[in-house]
Amino acid sequence: MPQLNSSTPAASTSSSRWSRPGFLLALFAALLAFVVQSGEIGTADTMHRLQSTHAFWTSQPPVFPNEYPEFGIHGRNGTLQSWYGIGQSLLMLPADLVGTGIAQLPLLRGYTDDPSIRNIVVSYSTSMLLAVLTALLCFRFLVQLRFSPRQAMLGTLALMLCTTHLHYTQNLMENNYIFLLTLAGFSWQLAWVESGRSRDLLMGSAALGLNLLTRLTTGLDLLACGLFVLLLLAQHGVTRGFFSRLSAYLSTAVPVYLFFGVLDRLYQFYRFGSFAGTYIGIVAREARQRDPGLPAAYPFEKPFHEGFFGPLFTPEKSIFLFDPLLILMLVLVVFGWRRFDRTVRAYLVAGFALLLGYMCFYARYTVWSGDFAWGDRYVSTAVELASLLAVPLLLRYRAAFAGWIYRAGQAIVGASFLVQLVSLAFWLPLEIYQMETLGHPTFVIALRMKNIAAFALGKMQALGLNTPAMAEDPWDYVHITTWNFLPFLLRRVGAAPHWVVDCAFVVWIAALACLAIVLVRLLRFPALGHEKAS
């Protein structure tokens, strides 16, 4: 039998895979999503959406009676319903089916503690799927924008490691799913502009339409992508060809959007018996019934300036603090706009228009910041999209920029990575509970770093960081007083057998080592693929 060597087909195939940035990025994304999981879903919002998922195929209700009035609103025939769209619930359905089945196996049936088997399966599988698809799609989109494979690869790594996308990889909110679908819309609609293939336009429009089922405000994403396409078509001048292509775009995209809009309305009717309106109106009505003192405009009663400037400048939610790559993107726009090609300019205009749209929409919302979240979760996805090109542009025009810009860019990228890394250390409500005692405003990121140092050194009590509010909810207290990764949480809860905890640590450390190896391989990419692997 011949020995397997570099000249055999199998070895050649294996070697070529390891020199492909797409394969390496997908592997890196899967490992990254794996090692950052805590086994928990992340927030009460997503737990409620998972309960809606469970209600699709079991006899359980979408909202339990004991949760009202803190959560839930009344729907048809007086049933309690959640106040979310169906999108993320559908996304979690396959994992919920599998996780529930695994939890009922004889070997695991006796384990019902926290984190549950179902939650572990849902959080790991869903987050890993989103991470892999996002990495591949981001790389594709950046290559579409004519960035080199290395620039596109580093831009994808920057998204995964240096933006709030990393935090929402650990905490399974809607954000990364919305980001994936919006980026898919931009990518495939750009492909349609360049190729004219109807299939590309249908796929891009379907991705944006599917977003509407997750959150109706993603209509802003739909409009931003339409602006992107309009700017691209207008590059050729206002001619007959422009109007014919615009007509083709509208005749294909609008029916797709309407289809998904009708699906949303059908789900609205199924739950509340009405095609018109949204659950926000019902939330407001029932809240005012319980508390007549609420403003008539509730839940959009905040002064506009408070919710508009809050995401910009408050130390607890500033998008510049929680996503510093946005600062780099703004610097590059100021000093490099004339050098950017038209497609990049069109994307940046659309991206910043989307960010402005979200800031304006949520400016008057009663909890404009998203409450229990790392940063401002309502605008964080738009921030990630707006700053997506920061690292690729810095690399592409490195020689054209002044030296201080490149050095400052490196520093900002490093700071961005640090901010996202510390976001993983503890479950996100920790600082929110502490601020009930410490007061407002608080520089949350600095407080998080202080918590990390104090917890590692066993100085939480000595530094006054164990506040009364932290212990009010026993379940929360357990989760905010340990490192927010599955092996540490299993050990903290103490319900799993010791051998299971030990195995979890072994697997986690091995996965970390593999992640580091793949990252090194990615950073050495030009030496491996010579940028021909795109």
Side-chain angles (χ1 to χ4, degrees):
M1 178 182 292
Q3 291 186 349
L4 195 65
N5 54 53
S6 59
S7 63
T8 65
S12 177
T13 300
S14 175
S15 176
S16 65
R17 283 181 181 173
W18 280 97
S19 63
R20 271 189 234 152
F23 172 77
L24 290 171
L25 283 171
L27 182 59
F28 179 83
L31 288 169
L32 179 64
F34 181 87
V35 300
V36 302
Q37 295 306 307
S38 68
E40 291 292 359
I41 299 301
T43 68
D45 286 356
T46 309
M47 278 302 302
H48 289 310
R49 296 187 190 101
L50 182 58
Q51 182 56 35
S52 294
T53 302
H54 212 57
F56 291 158
W57 63 280
T58 69
S59 60
Q60 291 188 12
V63 179
F64 292 105
N66 64 305
E67 295 180 290
Y68 187 83
E70 183 177 346
F71 176 75
I73 49 179
H74 290 94
R76 298 175 66 183
N77 303 318
T79 59
L80 286 174
Q81 301 288 342
S82 71
W83 50 55
Y84 306 115
I86 197 175
Q88 192 182 26
S89 296
L90 289 176
L91 173 68
M92 295 186 290
L93 180 57
D96 184 46
L97 290 165
V98 174
T100 302
I102 293 176
Q104 293 173 351
L105 294 174
L107 180 65
L108 301 172
R109 195 172 295 160
Y111 177 79
T112 58
D113 215 303
D114 181 66
S116 68
I117 298 298
R118 180 171 70 118
N119 284 0
I120 292 173
V121 172
V122 171
S123 63
Y124 272 81
S125 60
T126 307
S127 293
M128 290 174 70
L129 174 65
L130 289 176
V132 169
L133 293 178
T134 301
L136 293 173
L137 184 61
C138 182
F139 181 77
R140 164 198 159 98
F141 182 64
L142 292 175
V143 170
Q144 284 179 283
L145 294 179
R146 308 293 187 268
F147 290 104
S148 72
R150 176 170 174 76
Q151 292 164 356
M153 179 268 292
L154 291 175
T156 304
L157 286 178
L159 169 71
M160 291 190 289
L161 296 174
C162 302
T163 71
T164 45
H165 198 276
L166 179 59
H167 175 79
Y168 293 112
T169 299
Q170 184 188 62
N171 297 275
L172 191 58
M173 298 189 191
E174 298 170 311
N175 296 52
N176 286 5
Y177 184 43
I178 290 173
F179 179 93
L180 173 66
L181 294 177
T182 299
L183 190 61
F186 274 91
S187 178
W188 268 287
Q189 292 202 1
L190 171 59
W192 171 79
V193 171
E194 295 178 339
S195 70
R197 289 191 301 265
S198 298
R199 182 186 64 181
D200 292 330
L201 181 54
L202 282 170
M203 292 179 66
S205 301
L208 293 167
L210 187 58
N211 240 348
L212 295 173
L213 301 184
T214 303
R215 198 185 288 169
L216 279 178
T217 51
T218 56
L220 294 171
D221 301 58
L222 182 156
L223 294 175
C225 194
L227 174 61
F228 177 55
V229 171
L230 182 64
L231 292 172
L232 292 177
L233 294 178
Q235 290 174 8
H236 304 291
V238 182
T239 63
R240 187 180 213 176
F242 168 81
F243 287 111
S244 65
R245 296 211 69 191
L246 181 60
S247 176
Y249 175 79
L250 295 174
S251 63
T252 301
V254 172
V256 174
Y257 300 151
L258 290 176
F259 170 75
F260 284 99
V262 169
L263 290 182
D264 176 79
R265 293 297 86 195
L266 289 174
Y267 185 53
Q268 172 84 2
F269 181 80
Y270 168 78
R271 292 188 295 172
F272 304 115
S274 171
F275 285 106
T278 68
Y279 49 80
I280 289 293
I282 304 174
V283 169
R285 184 178 70 243
E286 294 196 1
R288 282 194 290 267
Q289 288 173 351
R290 295 192 299 270
D291 183 3
L294 286 174
Y298 179 86
F300 290 93
E301 83 284 5
K302 293 290 185 181
F304 180 85
H305 70 273
E306 178 180 330
F308 184 82
F309 292 107
L312 296 175
F313 304 118
T314 56
E316 295 166 9
K317 295 293 180 179
S318 171
I319 56 180
F320 298 118
L321 296 175
F322 287 88
D323 269 305
L325 281 189
L326 185 63
I327 300 173
L328 175 58
M329 188 68 257
L330 290 172
V331 170
L332 297 182
V333 166
V334 171
F335 290 96
W337 181 260
R338 293 183 179 180
R339 296 185 176 92
F340 301 161
D341 63 52
R342 292 179 177 181
T343 305
V344 167
R345 289 185 189 179
Y347 176 78
L348 291 175
V349 169
F352 279 99
L354 178 62
L355 176 57
L356 180 62
Y358 270 107
M359 290 174 59
C360 290
F361 181 86
Y362 284 107
R364 297 184 61 87
Y365 190 55
T366 188
V367 189
W368 54 263
S369 64
D371 200 12
F372 275 49
W374 182 255
D376 188 334
R377 67 184 173 97
Y378 290 139
V379 303
S380 63
T381 302
V383 172
E384 293 165 19
L385 287 163
S387 57
L388 180 63
L389 306 189
V391 168
L393 287 172
L394 181 66
L395 295 172
R396 174 186 280 181
Y397 297 104
R398 174 181 179 178
F401 288 132
W404 71 267
I405 293 180
Y406 185 75
R407 291 191 295 274
Q410 289 179 306
I412 291 173
V413 171
S416 300
F417 175 65
L418 178 62
V419 169
Q420 309 316 324
L421 195 63
V422 301
S423 78
L424 305 176
F426 298 109
W427 190 37
L428 60 91
L430 172 60
E431 287 77 20
I432 296 174
Y433 283 130
Q434 290 174 328
M435 285 188 288
E436 292 185 26
T437 299
L438 301 178
H440 301 273
T442 296
F443 186 14
V444 169
I445 296 172
L447 179 57
R448 169 57 61 95
M449 293 179 180
K450 184 177 181 180
N451 280 323
I452 292 172
F455 187 79
L457 297 172
K459 300 287 187 179
M460 293 288 286
Q461 187 66 40
L463 295 176
L465 295 174
N466 283 335
T467 64
M470 290 171 56
E472 289 176 359
D473 187 312
W475 190 93
D476 283 5
Y477 180 73
V478 169
H479 286 70
I480 61 179
T481 53
T482 186
W483 303 116
N484 196 33
F485 305 101
L486 179 61
F488 296 94
L489 183 59
L490 289 174
R491 186 174 64 184
R492 178 74 170 91
V493 173
H498 289 297
W499 69 267
V500 172
V501 177
D502 292 340
C503 288
F505 271 106
V506 170
V507 172
W508 187 70
I509 292 171
L512 274 176
C514 292
L515 181 68
I517 292 170
V518 176
L519 179 59
V520 170
R521 192 83 176 181
L522 278 166
L523 295 178
R524 291 178 54 223
F525 166 67
L528 299 170
H530 302 287
E531 298 205 355
K532 67 182 181 181
S534 61

